[in-house]
Amino acid sequence: MSNRQPERVRTSYDELPGFASYVLEESYVLGVIAEPGVVRFRLEVVLTPEHPAYEEPGSGVYLCYRPGELRFDGVTELDWAGQGASPATDASGEVDYGHVDTMTLENGVYALAGDWGSMRVRAASARVAIDD
């Protein structure tokens, strides 16, 4: 009999189903909402050319941004550290909390980090949705 522990597999978000056509590292976090069972990141999300809603960026813009959210459903555990960083304000007065610099999934727990803090979320599912 072996006492070996099962291998832990850490998966980057872009390898998860439904995430390949988004670039979270370039998407702006506009707000984070945590409610019982749900965590939502309001985003100006960057789409890759493979996304059906992708449009060529206009002059002076290099990426295709769309309003949307990163949503975790069926949340049973949430640990959010490093909260309280002041948001950035751009020249037009828009406020943001930086980007989702990293997001991985390991053994049912999503680990995220950015200027807004770091978060560990045990959730049944995660997805990105673009506003209509």
Side-chain angles (χ1 to χ4, degrees), residues 21-23 27 45-55 63-66 128 130:
S21 60
Y22 303 102
V23 184
S27 301
V45 63
V46 172
L47 308 182
T48 69
E50 292 75 30
H51 194 284
Y54 179 86
E55 294 178 359
L63 300 168
C64 175
Y65 292 93
R66 291 289 178 271
V128 176
I130 302 302

Side-chain angles (χ1 to χ4, degrees), residues 4-114:
R4 288 181 49 181
Q5 296 292 323
E7 184 176 328
R8 298 178 77 117
V9 177
R10 180 175 295 154
T11 305
S12 176
Y13 82 88
D14 55 346
E15 298 174 50
L16 297 173
F19 279 83
S21 60
Y22 303 102
V23 184
L24 296 181
E25 306 93 293
E26 297 293 337
S27 301
Y28 289 101
V29 176
L30 306 179
V32 182
I33 302 111
E35 302 169 322
V38 178
V39 174
R40 296 181 297 138
F41 285 74
R42 288 298 307 157
L43 301 173
E44 278 295 322
V45 63
V46 172
L47 308 182
T48 69
E50 292 75 30
H51 194 284
Y54 179 86
E55 294 178 359
E56 283 294 323
S59 177
V61 179
Y62 301 100
L63 300 168
C64 175
Y65 292 93
R66 291 289 178 271
E69 69 179 19
L70 169 59
R71 182 181 176 110
F72 299 89
D73 288 306
V75 173
T76 57
E77 295 177 33
L78 172 62
D79 179 22
W80 185 2
Q83 299 179 52
S86 298
T89 305
D90 69 15
S92 69
E94 295 282 328
V95 173
D96 74 73
Y97 294 90
H99 309 282
V100 177
D101 296 329
T102 62
M103 179 177 145
T104 59
L105 173 63
E106 183 176 357
N107 296 330
V109 176
Y110 297 89
L112 302 94

